Amino acid sequence: MNSQYPHRPEACMNRRDMLSRMGTGLGMLGLAGLLGDEKLLAADAQSAAQAMSYQNPLAPKEPHFPAKAKHVIHLFMTGGPSHVDTFDPKPLLTKYDGKPLPGGENLRTERKTGAAMASPFKFQKYGESGIEVSELFHHTAQHIDDIAVIRSMQAEVPNHEPSLGLMNCGASVAVRPAFGSWLTYGMGTDNQNLPGYIVMCPHGYPTKQTQNWQSAFLPGVYQGTYVDTRHTEVEKLIENVKNSKLSLEEQRSQIDLLQKMNQAHREQRGFDPALESRVQSFELAYRMQMEATDAFDVSREPKNVLEAYGDGIQARQILIARRLVERGVRFVQVFHDQGQPWDSHDDLEKSHRRLAGQCDKAIGALIADLKRLGLFEETLILWGGEFGRTPTVELPKPGSNQGKVNGRDHNHYGFTCWLAGGGIKGGQVYGSTDETGFKAAENPVHVHDLHATMLHALGFDHKKLTYRYAGRDYRLTDVHGNVVHQLLS
């Protein structure tokens, strides 16, 4: 009698029992093979459903809630610009120039520092808000009423690599996706003929190289596309963007054949996110040939626009950033140059004046140009470095500097960045450092808080923009971060 049916002595065995018991289960194996061929097994059915419902991962998506900002331009002053020489004036440094600062021993930074060092630059009040800005950024300051200056930023360590990881990816040590990768994962991009996340850096990579724009455990389609903006020809700007041997029609035929082969592979093996990312990369590479030439060719701009941005690589790449946003690219990151150019351990006055002179005019033109095109209210701009610099002079140390005693060391305890554009309430200063500029004193803003606030301006709850990996839901802000609502309009 079948123990499963004690009340039904006539039902000794059902068909499933028979198949599983007879021939030591070979009957069930045969059935599994038949069901698998027809995609009727649960796992195969799920894979088939995923394949059938698959959509382009870069297709535009709605954020968690309505927001003004739709794009981001990150103007990254790699190396750490000095906040006390740019957007955070400290009169006390002039008073104690060349003397020990009051209050006892200085906070420990990366290297040994000495007496107070007065800023060699003059500060002036601008706009109706009367915010003080250094002469280094005179053109940018013309738009100070549209800018929210955060003077109480904090990072975690006074070293470039971990601080670059924190600012770009929300993690000092662990491998995590970049901000731009998270944003394109969450929102897709408006232009399917250009990457959703583009990174520009002339002459080579910045410190930490491609880790600054990695997608990490997110699908590879969300990683940044690097462009070397020292070049002006699109073939040099974007490697292999054009095929010199095949016409567009011939390439289209190749891509179509490849897609059919990939589709057959998908039907046999099920849905594979890594394969889909690769398939999409082929399609994007083909479509870029038709639009990249136009997007990166600034010579197509009117003469008055070119003159407004000025000459040089910085002017060109900041203008390209506007052209990319105008064409629907979601996240554009502009590194000042390879390495860490703002790292002024020596000759700070000379180096900061030169570097600011390369980008200040173009930054002012960018804000004005975005307004002219009606894009300012939907474009979120972030300016800053990975940390600031000490208000004290760096002392000579073999292998660390040139021993000129006219530069500043790294400072992660307190520094400045600013936000403008979509979703930001301009004409305000948020937070402050102490009277010397050494550490955040009022309303500290950690980098996690900055990221949470930017995501909010873009329509995302930073706690809900997650991706499951290795059994855990990850997010840009890890388990930290608070939205600074005072910065939002």
Side-chain angles (χ1 to χ4, degrees):
M1 180 183 296
N2 191 332
S3 60
Q4 293 180 355
Y5 309 102
H7 61 288
R8 295 174 57 196
E10 72 278 9
C12 296
M13 183 181 297
N14 61 28
R15 286 176 293 179
R16 182 172 297 175
D17 289 336
M18 182 186 71
L19 287 170
S20 63
R21 293 182 184 183
M22 296 185 65
T24 63
L26 290 177
M28 185 64 78
L29 291 175
L31 176 62
L34 290 172
L35 294 174
D37 290 342
E38 298 299 324
K39 302 293 183 185
L40 295 176
L41 288 177
D44 286 333
Q46 182 180 6
S47 295
Q50 287 178 315
M52 291 295 291
S53 63
Y54 174 77
Q55 295 180 350
N56 178 3
L58 288 175
K61 307 166 196 162
E62 292 298 321
H64 294 152
F65 48 84
K68 293 181 180 179
K70 299 178 181 179
H71 314 276
V72 175
I73 295 177
H74 183 185
L75 303 172
F76 204 167
M77 308 295 109
T78 335
S82 172
H83 53 296
V84 297
D85 294 301
T86 53
F87 293 93
D88 190 7
K90 295 298 176 183
L92 193 70
L93 297 184
T94 301
K95 178 180 178 180
Y96 284 91
D97 186 32
K99 302 175 184 177
L101 284 172
E105 187 176 346
N106 293 333
L107 289 174
R108 179 178 177 81
T109 56
E110 187 181 39
R111 302 171 184 177
K112 190 174 182 180
T113 62
M117 178 180 170
S119 176
F121 310 109
K122 296 179 181 179
F123 280 77
Q124 178 182 334
K125 292 182 179 181
Y126 290 87
E128 294 182 4
S129 56
I131 297 174
E132 289 186 272
V133 179
S134 165
E135 62 183 283
L136 291 177
F137 286 96
H138 169 74
H139 293 280
T140 303
Q142 306 302 315
H143 303 276
I144 199 64
D145 289 335
D146 296 303
I147 293 173
V149 181
I150 308 173
R151 288 180 176 168
S152 55
M153 287 297 304
Q154 290 183 322
E156 295 173 354
V157 292
N159 305 103
H160 293 289
E161 287 81 1
S163 293
L164 281 163
L166 180 64
M167 184 60 72
N168 284 311
C169 307
S172 297
V173 178
V175 176
R176 294 287 186 269
F179 193 123
S181 296
W182 279 111
L183 186 59
T184 50
Y185 160 67
M187 291 186 76
T189 186
D190 291 334
N191 190 331
Q192 301 303 304
N193 296 332
L194 289 169
Y197 177 15
I198 293 180
V199 179
M200 295 184 283
C201 184
H203 305 108
Y205 292 151
T207 298
K208 208 173 173 67
Q209 301 183 355
T210 60
Q211 293 181 55
N212 289 296
W213 51 85
Q214 65 193 345
S215 61
F217 47 72
L218 290 179
V221 71
Y222 299 120
Q223 72 182 6
T225 298
Y226 167 71
V227 177
D228 186 344
T229 44
R230 66 178 158 169
H231 302 297
T232 56
E233 299 176 22
V234 68
E235 291 85 352
K236 294 181 179 179
L237 276 166
I238 307 172
E239 190 174 2
N240 300 320
V241 71
K242 290 186 177 181
N243 191 320
S244 59
K245 298 180 180 179
L246 297 176
S247 66
L248 285 173
E249 291 77 12
E250 292 170 326
Q251 292 177 63
R252 183 68 264 174
S253 297
Q254 284 190 342
I255 293 292
D256 289 342
L257 175 60
L258 182 61
Q259 297 293 52
K260 290 181 180 179
M261 296 171 67
N262 286 330
Q263 177 64 26
H265 181 92
R266 182 193 297 125
E267 291 173 354
Q268 292 176 3
R269 294 168 175 81
F271 180 81
D272 182 352
L275 174 61
E276 296 303 333
S277 294
R278 180 60 61 89
V279 169
Q280 290 301 320
S281 71
F282 290 135
E283 281 289 343
L284 178 59
Y286 171 77
R287 294 194 301 268
M288 279 182 65
Q289 297 177 84
M290 297 177 283
E291 188 147 350
T293 301
D294 175 71
F296 288 92
D297 186 2
V298 299
S299 67
R300 304 186 182 200
E301 291 287 336
K303 182 179 179 181
N304 65 306
V305 172
L306 294 173
E307 291 176 347
Y309 280 82
D311 300 324
I313 295 175
Q314 293 304 314
R316 186 169 69 250
Q317 70 173 359
I318 291 175
L319 176 52
I320 290 173
R322 190 226 79 198
R323 290 175 63 83
L324 292 173
V325 164
E326 187 180 12
R327 285 160 175 77
V329 175
R330 190 69 71 192
F331 194 103
V332 183
Q333 191 169 33
V334 181
F335 284 86
H336 193 103
D337 210 334
Q338 66 174 339
Q340 46 208 44
W342 285 84
D343 193 23
S344 300
H345 292 280
D346 290 287
D347 291 331
L348 182 140
E349 178 180 5
K350 180 179 178 181
S351 62
H352 268 43
R353 194 178 294 279
R354 172 178 55 82
L355 293 165
Q358 293 172 352
C359 64
D360 174 44
K361 184 178 181 180
I363 294 172
L366 171 67
I367 295 175
D369 215 8
L370 290 172
K371 290 180 180 179
R372 176 180 65 86
L373 295 169
L375 293 170
F376 183 70
E377 290 300 325
E378 65 179 50
T379 304
L380 178 60
I381 305 172
L382 169 64
W383 177 97
E386 64 269 36
F387 44 54
R389 309 204 77 81
T390 58
T392 48
V393 69
E394 181 174 330
L395 297 178
K397 181 180 179 181
S400 295
N401 53 38
Q402 300 176 33
K404 296 182 180 180
V405 199
N406 60 359
R408 304 185 191 275
D409 190 21
H410 308 159
N411 182 14
H412 65 291
Y413 295 108
F415 61 101
T416 295
C417 72
W418 58 255
L419 295 169
I424 299 300
K425 182 180 179 181
Q428 65 167 318
V429 171
Y430 184 83
S432 65
T433 51
D434 59 31
E435 60 181 356
T436 69
F438 228 134
K439 62 179 179 179
E442 180 184 4
N443 296 326
V445 179
H446 189 277
V447 173
H448 290 312
D449 302 326
L450 174 68
H451 287 164
T453 304
M454 292 178 66
L455 285 176
H456 190 89
L458 289 154
F460 289 98
D461 181 338
H462 71 105
K463 296 180 181 179
K464 296 180 180 179
L465 182 61
T466 62
Y467 188 86
R468 179 157 285 269
Y469 171 72
R472 175 191 157 187
D473 288 335
Y474 285 88
R475 68 186 204 224
L476 173 63
T477 52
D478 195 32
V479 295
H480 311 284
N482 294 294
V483 176
V484 184
H485 291 280
Q486 294 90 325
L487 293 170
L488 301 171
S489 59

